[in-house]
């Protein structure tokens, strides 16, 4: 009950943050605006329509990823320091609340907030992709086969691409890990330092394949190679969560999507849990 | 609900329980350059069950640091700290204590009812108990009509009332108030004084830190004064506030009478026909009265009691020297 109460309070508090609302509204607005891409390209050919849809998918996924990391960082960096600064933590920890309950509650709240934000963007994104695909199907059907728009609308069910949902879930998992890292940092770092540290971790994590190559390079100085190896092991591999290429270019498909998703999800959840455990250990000894 | 007593001592010839025991408490903050500052230094006192204990000191004296250590928010560098017989910060002790911070802050997006519901959940009260408790508390602090308004619309006084309501959720045995009347209007100020008195009547222990020394003087049984982290004075009002000096007023005195009493008096002032003679001991009162007898008309003999504020100012100034 205690953890859930703290989590709910965290969601309510975070969702009222002006900066988070702005990121969300701008991201959703831009995803909707991407519908207007149809004005620049013609649907008269199958190629034109698929290019349009691919463009929207690419734009939408990129936008969600950008909004996701901004939201994760902005929300995560202030999660604990703000409680101390506003002194809300005093009335909470002076109640029979264990410190680990507080940290887990805050983490859970952050995860729920992130889920809400990604869900809002994801629903709009999938809706926009479906609307575009439906429009393309109707136009193509009317132009090429002469069937009515209503008949063409039957294709709507097929227009729903489950892979888009997969892409949204992977974006969520990616930022769940980033949030967990930033929340761990927020236990002992100031928000500004934490923001840049979180950003650094994200950039290095996105370039995981590069650090791996560097670590394995024979020509690399052994000290530097060791450094890259440590970086590759410690910093989460955000590259694993990036499935945009697979979604946009079906020829680069993953053999077993379910297996891959399961492995990546397990990796993400394990990493996030590790961050929470470390945050709990540090917070037990933290003076507030 | 009566507290479970653990430590017993003698106070005023009666056997009483100790709600708080502070022994050799020290808190040292280390700077980045290796320097260190003792915010609290070898503090020793105890708070008996059922008493209203005032904890005063100038800004930076170590009051809030001590309170935070009592609540387990900060950890002592050394010394012993027990609250209701348990080590400070113990979850079992926290079930029976409450804390009202200075200018309490809450999640502003919540309404009065929601914030109390949130704190009730931290005590694991079920839905029915929460509903009943919230109604009682809002009525007790006079916010029944405003319970469904968001806290961001509350005035400072209303927030303080919500703070008091959250502090009463668990019917605590020990209440720790940090500047409970800070920034409040006279009505809210009086309400809080009355609340503290009513808590005392209910047998609760109240540990109150405040700069409103008149409040402390009027409601507290005992007071501890700290300065620069050290305990300077501890005792009941009677023990701490002595009869400072006595003002003897006479009239119709002869010209040389002032010269006669000056060696005995601290100060002599003459205003028209009236002469005021200030003396600091009972013996000197008698000496002055013997000197002026038959040479003037005695108007009054008024002992002036030292206030807590006088004592506080004296201690702080001495500390600065």
């Amino acid at each position: 009950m205690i953890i859930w109460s703290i989590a709910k309070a965290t969601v309510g508090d975070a969702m009222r943050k002006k900066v988070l609302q702005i990121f969300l509204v701008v991201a959703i607005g831009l995803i909707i605006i991407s519908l207007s891409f149809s004005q620049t390209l013609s649907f008269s050919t199958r190629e034109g329509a698929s290019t349009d849809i691919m463009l929207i998918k690419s734009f939408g996924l990129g936008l969600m990823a950008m909004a996701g990391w901004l939201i994760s960082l902005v929300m995560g960096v202030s999660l604990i320091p703000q409680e101390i600064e506003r002194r809300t933590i005093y009335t909470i920890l002076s109640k029979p609340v264990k410190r680990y309950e507080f940290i887990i509650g805050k983490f859970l709240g952050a995860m729920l907030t992130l889920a809400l934000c990604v869900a809002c963007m994801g629903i709009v994104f999938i809706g926009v992709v479906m609307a575009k695909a439906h429009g393309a199907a109707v136009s193509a059907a009317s132009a090429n086969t002469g069937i009515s728009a209503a008949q063409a609308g039957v294709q709507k069910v097929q227009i729903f691409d489950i892979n888009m949902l997969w892409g949204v879930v992977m974006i969520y998992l990616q930022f769940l890990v980033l949030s967990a890292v930033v929340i761990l940092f927020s236990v002992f770092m100031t928000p500004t330092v934490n923001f840049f540290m979180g950003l650094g971790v994200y950039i290095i994590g996105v370039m995981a394949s590069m650090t791996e190559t560097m670590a394995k390079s024979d020509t690399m100085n052994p000290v530097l190679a060791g450094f890259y190896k440590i970086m590759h092991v410690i910093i989460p591999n955000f590259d694993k969560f990036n499935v945009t290429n697979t979604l946009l270019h079906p020829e680069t498909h993953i053999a077993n999507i379910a297996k891959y998703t399961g492995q990546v999800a397990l990796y993400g959840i394990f990493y996030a849990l590790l961050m929470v455990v470390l945050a709990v250990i540090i917070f037990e000894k933290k003076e507030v | 609900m009566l507290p479970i007593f653990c430590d017993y001592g003698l106070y005023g010839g009666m056997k009483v329980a100790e709600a708080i025991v502070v022994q050799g408490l020290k808190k040292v903050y280390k700077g980045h350059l290796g320097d260190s500052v003792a915010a609290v230094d070898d503090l020793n006192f105890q708070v008996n069950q059922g008493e209203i204990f005032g904890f005063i000191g100038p800004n930076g004296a170590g009051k809030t640091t001590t309170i935070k250590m009592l609540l387990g928010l900060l950890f002592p560098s050394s010394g012993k700290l027990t609250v209701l017989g348990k080590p400070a910060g113990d979850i079992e002790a926290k079930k029976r204590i409450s804390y009202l911070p200075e200018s309490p802050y809450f999640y502003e997006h919540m309404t009065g009812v929601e914030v109390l519901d949130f704190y009730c959940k931290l005590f694991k009260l079920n839905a029915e108990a929460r509903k009943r408790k919230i109604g009682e508390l809002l009525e007790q602090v006079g916010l029944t009509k405003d319970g469904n308004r968001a806290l961001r619309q509350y005035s400072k006084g209303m927030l303080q009332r919500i703070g008091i309501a959250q502090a009463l959720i668990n019917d605590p045995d020990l209440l720790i108030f940090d500047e409970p009347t800070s920034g409040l209007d006279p009505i809210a100020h009086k309400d809080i004084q009355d609340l503290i008195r009513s808590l005392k009547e209910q047998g609760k222990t109240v540990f109150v830190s405040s700069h409103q020394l008149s409040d402390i003087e009027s409601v507290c049984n005992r007071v501890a004064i700290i300065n620069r982290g050290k305990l300077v004075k501890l005792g009941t009002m009677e023990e701490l506030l002595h009869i400072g000096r006595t003002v003897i007023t006479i009239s119709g005195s002869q010209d040389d009478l002032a010269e006669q009493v000056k060696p005995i008096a601290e100060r002599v002032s003459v205003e028209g026909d009236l002469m005021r003679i200030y003396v600091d001991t009972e013996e000197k009162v008698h000496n002055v009265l013997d000197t002026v007898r038959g040479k003037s008309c005695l108007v009054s003999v008024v002992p002036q009691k030292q206030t807590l504020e006088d004592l506080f100012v004296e201690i702080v100034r001495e500390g600065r020297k």
Side-chain angles (χ1 to χ4, degrees):
Chain A
M1 183 191 259
I2 290 175
I3 291 173
W4 184 238
S5 301
I6 293 170
K8 277 205 298 182
T10 305
V11 174
D13 200 35
M15 289 306 286
R16 278 165 183 81
K17 271 195 176 131
K18 287 275 184 288
V19 64
L20 193 139
Q21 289 173 354
I22 290 168
F23 287 153
L24 198 57
V25 168
V26 169
I28 289 173
L30 286 172
I31 292 170
I32 293 169
I33 286 171
S34 70
L35 264 173
S36 68
F37 291 168
S38 61
Q39 290 167 3
T40 57
L41 294 164
S42 165
F43 277 140
S44 57
T45 63
R46 199 169 282 274
E47 289 74 25
S50 65
T51 308
D52 252 12
I53 292 165
M54 199 160 79
L55 194 65
I56 287 174
K57 284 179 181 176
S58 169
F59 181 75
L61 288 168
L63 205 65
M64 279 197 290
M66 185 179 277
W69 75 254
L70 274 172
I71 290 169
S72 304
L73 285 178
V74 169
M75 178 182 60
V77 295
S78 60
L79 210 64
I80 309 297
Q82 188 178 267
E83 292 278 346
I84 297 169
E85 191 188 321
R86 292 191 312 194
R87 291 181 274 184
T88 40
I89 198 169
Y90 299 164
T91 46
I92 295 172
L93 289 186
S94 61
K95 303 277 185 288
V97 174
K98 295 182 182 84
R99 284 179 173 233
Y100 75 81
E101 291 175 323
F102 179 76
I103 287 290
I104 295 172
K106 295 301 289 180
F107 175 75
L108 193 60
M111 296 305 105
L112 289 172
T113 308
L114 196 60
L116 267 173
C117 293
V118 173
C120 287
M121 291 189 289
I123 288 167
V124 174
F125 167 67
I126 291 171
V128 164
V129 172
M130 284 174 70
K132 180 66 77 178
H134 178 250
V138 170
S139 301
S142 303
N144 300 333
T145 65
I147 59 167
S148 70
Q151 284 171 308
V154 176
Q155 297 174 30
K156 195 174 177 180
V157 178
Q158 296 153 344
I159 284 164
F160 175 70
D161 183 359
I162 195 148
N163 283 338
M164 290 303 110
L165 191 62
W166 177 52
V168 172
V169 169
M170 293 301 267
I171 285 175
Y172 175 70
L173 287 171
Q174 183 178 21
F175 295 112
L176 180 141
V177 175
L178 180 62
S179 288
V181 172
V182 174
I183 290 168
L184 165 66
F185 290 166
S186 82
V187 173
F188 57 91
M189 275 183 195
T190 62
T192 313
V193 175
N194 191 355
F195 183 87
F196 289 107
M197 283 294 288
L199 190 60
V201 166
Y202 181 66
I203 291 169
I204 296 169
V206 165
M207 299 189 300
S209 53
M210 201 181 84
T211 50
E212 190 178 16
T213 311
M214 298 273 208
K216 286 177 181 170
S217 170
D218 296 332
T219 54
M220 180 71 67
N221 177 313
V223 178
L224 269 177
F227 171 74
Y228 282 117
K229 193 169 186 178
I230 291 168
M231 296 274 270
H232 186 70
V233 171
I234 292 176
I235 291 175
N237 186 344
F238 290 118
D239 203 26
K240 281 182 188 290
F241 300 92
N242 188 357
V243 291
T244 308
N245 245 357
T246 312
L247 288 172
L248 298 179
H249 307 287
E251 65 276 12
T252 59
H253 78 283
I254 295 167
N256 189 337
I257 287 181
K259 190 182 170 190
Y260 181 79
T261 309
Q263 284 173 343
V264 172
L266 271 177
Y267 168 77
I269 291 167
F270 174 78
Y271 199 95
L273 284 176
L274 184 69
M275 295 296 105
V276 176
V277 169
L278 287 174
V280 165
I281 292 167
I282 295 169
F283 194 67
E284 278 296 322
K285 297 287 171 199
K286 183 176 171 65
E287 298 196 313
V288 294
Chain B
M1 191 194 297
L2 285 171
I4 301 162
F5 302 153
C6 43
D7 293 322
Y8 286 86
L10 279 176
Y11 170 61
M14 292 169 65
K15 223 176 185 186
V16 289
E18 288 147 0
I20 297 173
V21 178
V22 176
Q23 285 177 349
L25 186 67
K26 193 167 186 173
K27 178 67 191 172
V28 178
Y29 288 111
K30 285 180 183 156
H32 294 296
L33 301 171
D35 51 330
S36 58
V37 178
V40 172
D41 194 2
D42 194 26
L43 206 56
N44 292 284
F45 66 85
Q46 62 194 48
V47 179
N48 302 313
Q49 185 273 324
E51 76 175 349
I52 311 291
F53 189 88
F55 193 57
I56 61 175
N59 290 335
K63 302 186 297 293
T64 301
T65 301
T66 307
I67 289 175
K68 282 184 172 182
M69 285 193 279
L70 287 172
L71 296 164
L73 301 172
L74 293 179
F75 308 115
S77 302
S78 62
K80 188 185 166 194
L81 196 54
T82 56
V83 179
L84 298 171
K86 307 273 183 190
D90 184 273
I91 288 291
E92 287 308 309
K94 283 184 180 179
K95 286 178 184 171
R96 296 165 48 220
I97 67 174
S98 73
Y99 172 53
L100 174 66
E102 182 184 0
S103 305
Y105 287 82
F106 305 105
Y107 295 115
E108 287 191 337
H109 65 274
M110 292 183 177
T111 65
V113 169
E114 285 169 348
V115 83
L116 290 180
D117 191 56
F118 170 70
Y119 286 108
C120 281
K121 283 178 182 169
L122 301 185
F123 285 102
K124 298 179 182 172
L125 298 185
N126 62 38
E128 197 184 323
R130 291 202 303 272
K131 196 177 171 187
R132 192 183 63 248
K133 195 79 190 174
I134 291 165
E136 286 171 10
L137 290 169
L138 286 174
E139 195 179 337
Q140 195 172 347
V141 297
L143 286 176
T144 307
K145 284 182 185 171
D146 300 296
N148 289 315
R149 281 172 59 190
L151 293 190
R152 70 173 75 89
Q153 298 170 354
Y154 276 29
S155 66
K156 188 175 167 65
M158 289 161 84
L159 282 173
Q160 194 78 350
R161 285 167 193 267
I162 280 290
I164 290 167
Q166 65 81 29
L168 298 175
I169 286 171
N170 55 332
D171 190 18
D173 297 323
L174 169 65
L175 296 99
I176 298 172
F177 289 168
D178 193 1
E179 297 288 351
T181 55
S182 170
L184 295 185
D185 66 40
I187 303 291
H189 191 131
K190 173 79 169 53
D191 286 346
I192 288 185
Q193 274 190 313
D194 291 345
L195 171 80
I196 293 175
R197 287 195 183 95
S198 80
L199 290 168
K200 186 186 177 185
E201 284 167 14
Q202 292 168 42
K204 309 286 187 193
T205 307
V206 183
F207 182 93
V208 53
S209 163
S210 177
H211 280 128
Q212 301 288 335
L213 301 181
S214 55
D215 288 355
I216 295 282
E217 196 174 337
S218 65
V219 300
C220 292
N221 301 100
R222 287 198 306 144
V223 173
I225 303 176
I226 65 165
N227 193 20
R228 298 184 178 196
K230 287 180 182 290
L231 184 70
V232 185
K233 292 269 182 191
L234 173 69
T236 62
M237 291 302 163
E238 291 74 26
E239 288 164 353
L240 293 178
L241 307 177
H242 58 273
I243 303 296
R245 59 187 176 185
T246 304
V247 184
I248 301 163
T249 309
I250 57 174
S251 67
S253 61
Q254 294 164 4
D255 289 345
D256 63 339
L257 192 58
E259 294 305 316
Q260 290 176 41
V261 297
K262 266 183 185 169
I264 312 165
E266 273 188 349
R267 186 159 72 93
V268 176
S269 71
V270 179
E271 280 178 44
D273 190 40
L274 291 177
M275 183 192 294
R276 288 194 178 83
I277 305 155
Y278 298 83
V279 288
D280 59 358
T281 64
E282 201 178 329
E283 189 189 352
K284 286 179 181 173
V285 172
H286 290 294
N287 289 344
V288 169
L289 289 177
D290 289 342
T291 309
V292 302
R293 188 172 291 125
K295 298 172 187 168
S296 62
C297 179
L298 183 65
V299 176
S300 63
V301 179
V302 181
Q304 287 188 328
K305 192 183 173 192
Q306 188 187 30
T307 63
L308 188 58
E309 192 170 338
D310 295 332
L311 178 67
F312 181 81
V313 171
E314 189 183 307
I315 287 169
V316 173
R317 281 188 179 155
E318 269 176 27
R320 281 180 189 160
K321 283 175 194 169

